[in-house]
């Protein structure tokens, strides 16, 4: 249930956001709008100019000021002005650059400038107009406060006084409406069982479906290449610097000594990457095809295995495996634990060679035992069934490739 | 001496094992509850997870009776409920994931107080209930 304190917290965030927005509008947007649309353009004389400074924690701040004189309806106004916000900056040079744009009035030159004055109070005037683009970025702060506050209050309102069961019932109703709109009744036949559509979207060559692998090695290889490149580029730069100093006749032996372990690690990373690449390209693709899907407890299926590559195999095994997966929060971290709870070996072959021109092929039975639990998925918990291919080779690390299958409950076949 | 109110839930099947698609019927009532303290009653047929992961919960059937809508509620009188159970998820006793089914009755009283009663049952297509490695 949404607590009172949560609601108060989000209300305060919203108030802070609204207050900040009003303050920014009042302090910056309204004055700039008035200067741009209400102030009247008028010629003026520059009488004097100066830089005003004020101390701050990060050193002195500066702003340019120009004393101007202008005549409105026969009344002469004279004061120090520049911009409407009276903005200070840390750069004295930029303040000086502003002053250099204006020269003091000389009768012989008749050098006049335009100023803009407030018709309601002609004492108020500026020498520059327009707005700074970067200033609008400041608005993201109160706006983000407002978004968080409004979002939190909507959340609190929707959850106020509602039990976990009532919230779940509301969520289910929304999901049912969405399901009706998208896929209709079929997918609700087995709640919390994955539909397995991605498993059956690829037809097989020998059997009905070709199973997809659960994860590709491509991203792992990409990560390893990226790490190897970054590491060895840094080491190379350090090495070039060290060699340059040696060539100059001023070798920095401490620096060279420090580089050596980094260099050694870089070499290890390259060797590891080469082995990984050799392994990834040497062990060809593994294909598994199945005669029917999803699996049902107590029923039998044919499995076709195809393994390519130039491999001297110690062993090749295919197993049906069930894993429980639990995701939980520990402090601010989210952890996932996987526990294998069932393994049934379906196929095994030992001490044989696979030639590159002829992939190894085998066909065997899979009997889904009676009484096994069906596949299950919820927000933090899963029960996953997989066919796992384990290969063990001479002079190469073992490889494991997993293919997800869905097990459905045996009962509850409803007419469509 | 006053007795604390308690939720009583009674299911029609005594062994508490149901098959997918089977009718789950029963009744609930609240003992020792003065009617003027009652605000609302929610009854749910639901499953939830236990184990290492954070709890997931999903409602199969949900009924709510507000005292504002129905002045005739007498919480001490049995209220019947009935629903057809779904095909899944089935009850499960895993190592780090467990799935439990129950009928839960939540009684909302004045001043934010709540009383909750639960009656667990098994939804399964085999008996005794399944374990991970059969």
């Amino acid at each position: 249930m949404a607590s009172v304190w949560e609601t108060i917290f989000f209300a305060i965030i919203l108030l802070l956001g609204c207050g900040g927005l009003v303050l920014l509008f009042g302090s910056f947007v309204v004055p700039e709008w008035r200067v741009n649309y209400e102030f009247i353009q008028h010629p003026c004389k520059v009488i004097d100019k100066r830089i005003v400074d004020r101390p701050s924690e990060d050193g002195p701040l500066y702003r340019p000021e120009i004393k101007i004189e202008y005549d409105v309806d026969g009344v002469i106004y004279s004061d120090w002005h520049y911009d409407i916000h009276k903005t200070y900056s840390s750069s004295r040079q930029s303040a000086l650059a502003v002053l250099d744009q204006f020269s003091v009035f000389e009768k012989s030159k008749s050098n006049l400038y335009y100023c803009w004055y407030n018709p309601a109070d002609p004492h108020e005037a500026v020498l520059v107009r327009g707005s700074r683009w970067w200033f609008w970025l400041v608005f993201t702060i109160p706006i983000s406060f407002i978004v968080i506050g409004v979002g939190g209050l909507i959340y609190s309102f929707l959850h106020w006084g509602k039990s976990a069961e009532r919230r779940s019932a509301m969520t289910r109703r929304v999901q049912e409406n969405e399901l009706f709109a998208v896929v209709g009744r079929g997918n609700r036949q087995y709640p919390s069982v994955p539909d397995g559509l991605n498993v059956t979207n690829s037809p097989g060559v020998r059997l009905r479906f070709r199973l997809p692998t659960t994860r590709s090695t491509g991203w792992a290889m990409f990560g390893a290449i990226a790490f190897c490149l970054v590491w060895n580029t840094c080491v190379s730069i350090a090495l070039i610097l060290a060699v340059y100093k040696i060539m100059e006749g001023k070798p920095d032996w401490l620096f060279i000594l420090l580089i050596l372990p980094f260099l050694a690690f870089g070499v290890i990373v390259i060797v590891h990457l080469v082995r990984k690449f050799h392994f990834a390209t040497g062990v060809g693709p593994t294909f598994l095809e199945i005669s029917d899907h999803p699996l049902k407890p107590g029923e039998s299926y044919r499995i076709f295995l195809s393994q390519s590559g130039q491999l001297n195999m110690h062993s090749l095994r295919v197993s049906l495996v069930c894993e429980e997966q639990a995701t939980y929060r520990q402090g601010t971290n989210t952890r996932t634990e996987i526990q294998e709870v069932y393994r049934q070996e379906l196929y095994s072959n030992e001490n044989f060679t696979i030639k590159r021109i002829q992939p190894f092929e085998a066909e065997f039975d899979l009997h889904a035992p009676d009484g096994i639990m069906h596949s299950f998925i919820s927000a933090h918990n899963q029960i996953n069934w997989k066919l796992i291919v384990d290969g063990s080779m001479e002079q190469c690390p073992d490889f494991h490739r997993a293919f997800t299958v869905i097990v459905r409950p045996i009962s509850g076949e409803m007419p469509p | 001496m006053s007795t604390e109110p308690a939720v009583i839930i009674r299911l029609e099947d005594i062994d508490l094992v149901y098959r997918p698609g089977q009718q789950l019927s029963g009744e609930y009532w609240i003992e020792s509850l003065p009617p003027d303290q009652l605000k609302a009653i929610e009854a749910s047929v639901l499953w939830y997870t236990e184990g290492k992961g954070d709890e997931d919960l999903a409602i199969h059937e949900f009924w709510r009776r507000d005292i504002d809508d129905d002045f005739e509620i007498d919480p001490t009188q049995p209220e019947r409920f009935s629903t057809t159970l779904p095909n899944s998820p089935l009850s499960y006793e895993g190592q780090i994931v467990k799935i439990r089914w129950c009928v839960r009755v939540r009684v909302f009283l004045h001043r934010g107080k709540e009383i909750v009663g639960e009656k667990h049952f098994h939804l399964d297509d085999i008996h005794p209930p399944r374990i991970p490695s059969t």
Side-chain angles (χ1 to χ4, degrees):
Chain A
M1 235 181 253
S3 73
V4 179
W5 292 112
E6 267 177 7
T7 311
I8 291 172
F9 172 77
F10 287 120
I12 290 171
I13 294 281
L14 178 62
L15 279 176
L16 282 173
C18 291
L21 199 64
V22 168
L23 202 72
L24 278 177
F25 259 96
S27 311
F28 294 95
V29 178
V30 173
E32 278 194 2
W33 188 88
R34 286 178 56 229
V35 166
N36 288 331
Y37 298 100
E38 286 186 353
F39 280 31
I40 294 168
Q41 192 181 37
H42 197 71
C44 68
K45 295 176 196 170
V46 172
I47 307 297
D48 199 359
K49 48 190 188 177
R50 69 185 182 190
I51 289 177
V52 181
D53 59 21
R54 74 164 195 222
S56 80
E57 283 181 5
D58 301 321
L61 297 172
Y62 307 95
R63 69 174 249 99
E65 278 194 351
I66 294 153
K67 188 171 189 179
I68 56 172
E69 188 180 284
Y70 50 98
D71 173 353
V72 179
D73 298 332
V75 181
I76 306 287
Y77 295 92
S78 177
D79 207 345
W80 295 94
H81 300 283
Y82 180 59
D83 61 339
I84 193 71
H85 298 306
K86 301 193 186 322
T87 317
Y88 283 82
S89 84
S90 58
S91 169
R92 193 170 197 279
Q93 291 302 317
S94 59
L96 273 171
V98 169
L99 293 189
D100 288 345
Q101 294 169 22
F102 299 90
S103 49
V104 176
F105 179 74
E106 290 175 39
K107 236 179 187 175
S108 58
K109 291 182 184 172
S110 289
N111 50 336
L112 294 173
Y113 295 91
Y114 277 119
C115 71
W116 289 264
Y117 72 87
N118 180 1
D121 177 13
H123 286 102
E124 194 179 10
V126 294
L127 280 159
V128 285
R129 295 195 307 171
S131 57
R132 288 145 294 178
W133 65 268
W134 53 263
F135 168 74
W136 294 97
L137 292 177
V138 180
F139 278 83
T140 55
I141 298 168
I143 287 171
S144 54
F145 269 64
I146 290 171
V147 168
I148 292 167
V150 169
L153 284 177
I154 289 172
Y155 171 87
S156 300
F157 173 73
L158 288 176
H159 289 73
W160 188 265
K162 292 183 179 70
S163 61
E165 298 87 50
R166 194 175 176 191
R167 288 203 306 270
S168 176
M170 287 162 70
T171 308
R172 189 188 152 187
R173 216 165 294 143
V174 171
Q175 284 171 344
E176 278 178 355
N177 291 338
E178 284 173 0
L179 278 172
F180 258 122
V182 180
V183 290
R185 184 184 166 81
N187 281 22
R188 293 185 299 147
Q189 192 172 342
Y190 295 97
S192 305
V193 178
D195 55 21
L197 290 176
N198 65 327
V199 179
T200 53
N201 59 8
S202 176
V205 177
R206 291 278 189 89
L207 301 173
R208 197 170 167 203
F209 301 117
R210 175 166 287 183
L211 300 171
T213 48
T214 48
R215 64 174 177 177
S216 158
T217 51
W219 282 108
M221 183 62 84
F222 176 76
I225 291 171
F227 179 76
C228 182
L229 275 176
V230 170
W231 183 273
N232 284 300
T233 305
C234 296
V235 171
S236 301
I237 291 166
L239 206 63
I240 289 165
L241 280 173
V243 170
Y244 184 71
K245 287 202 167 188
I246 291 170
M247 286 169 73
E248 272 188 330
K250 294 182 281 184
D252 188 342
W253 296 113
L254 183 67
F255 183 59
I256 293 166
L257 213 64
L258 277 172
I259 292 173
L260 284 176
F262 289 91
L263 184 67
F265 186 71
V267 171
I268 291 168
V269 170
I270 290 171
V271 170
H272 175 74
L273 188 67
V274 169
R275 276 175 65 91
K276 207 174 168 70
F277 186 74
H278 174 70
F279 177 68
T281 52
V283 180
T286 309
F287 296 118
L288 274 188
E289 293 179 8
I290 192 163
S291 58
D292 201 7
H293 192 270
L295 308 184
K296 287 170 196 162
E299 294 194 5
S300 294
Y301 304 84
R302 288 294 284 170
I303 302 285
F304 169 68
L305 163 71
S306 168
Q307 176 63 59
S308 306
Q310 178 70 47
L311 311 167
N312 289 322
M313 302 297 301
H314 274 314
S315 67
L316 186 66
R317 290 189 168 81
V318 182
S319 308
L320 176 67
V321 169
C322 178
E323 290 174 346
E324 293 175 5
Q325 181 179 314
T327 304
Y328 55 97
R329 253 189 239 171
Q330 201 168 52
T332 53
N333 298 324
T334 301
R335 296 183 189 280
T336 297
E337 188 171 317
I338 294 172
Q339 174 84 45
E340 185 178 308
V341 293
Y342 179 86
R343 183 176 278 262
Q344 176 196 355
E345 192 172 287
L346 304 174
Y347 174 81
S348 170
N349 198 348
E350 290 181 354
N351 299 321
F352 64 103
T353 303
I354 301 174
K355 292 181 179 164
R356 194 171 289 281
I357 51 164
Q358 181 61 49
F360 173 78
E361 293 179 348
E363 213 171 301
F364 47 91
D365 285 323
L366 181 167
H367 179 75
D370 282 313
I372 55 170
M373 179 57 179
H374 60 76
S375 303
F376 167 77
I377 186 164
S378 63
H380 304 98
N381 298 275
Q382 292 182 27
I383 298 165
N384 297 315
W385 285 91
K386 292 171 183 171
L387 288 169
I388 292 184
V389 179
D390 292 304
S392 169
M393 295 176 292
E394 284 176 11
Q395 297 175 334
C396 267
D398 296 350
F399 70 91
H400 311 275
R401 285 172 180 169
F403 302 78
T404 298
V405 287
I406 305 299
V407 176
R408 271 198 188 155
I410 189 137
S411 54
E413 292 287 345
M414 292 200 305
Chain B
M1 194 179 108
S2 65
T3 317
E4 285 293 308
V7 179
I8 312 294
I9 304 167
R10 195 178 64 79
L11 299 182
E12 284 182 356
D13 269 35
I14 297 163
D15 63 356
L16 303 178
V17 179
Y18 292 83
R19 287 179 176 276
Q22 195 181 337
Q23 198 79 6
L24 172 104
S25 303
E27 58 190 15
Y28 65 85
W29 66 93
I30 298 108
E31 281 183 350
S32 314
L33 179 69
D36 60 332
Q37 281 191 24
L38 184 67
K39 273 179 75 180
I41 304 177
E42 288 178 358
S44 323
V45 178
L46 61 97
W47 62 262
Y48 62 92
T49 60
E50 269 185 1
K52 196 128 195 183
D54 289 347
E55 187 192 80
D56 293 320
L57 176 150
I59 292 291
H60 169 63
E61 200 71 76
F62 179 79
W63 304 274
R64 181 181 166 94
R65 290 189 296 158
D66 281 288
I67 198 77
D68 302 333
D69 302 333
D70 184 0
F71 290 98
E72 300 301 316
I73 292 179
D74 179 0
T76 57
Q77 289 301 307
E79 173 73 12
R80 285 196 57 76
F81 59 85
S82 182
T83 183
T84 305
L85 290 167
N87 295 327
S88 58
L90 301 177
S91 298
Y92 179 65
E93 279 286 328
Q95 292 180 22
I96 59 170
V97 176
K98 298 170 202 307
I99 302 168
R100 308 238 188 269
W101 276 91
C102 74
V103 176
R104 184 179 289 171
V105 174
R106 193 181 289 273
V107 183
F108 295 87
L109 307 176
H110 286 292
R111 295 180 191 170
K113 285 184 183 171
E114 288 179 20
I115 318 165
V116 181
E118 280 184 359
K119 187 81 172 177
H120 286 84
F121 64 91
H122 285 283
L123 176 65
D124 218 327
D125 49 12
I126 58 163
H127 190 68
R130 68 195 60 241
I131 53 170
S133 50
T134 48

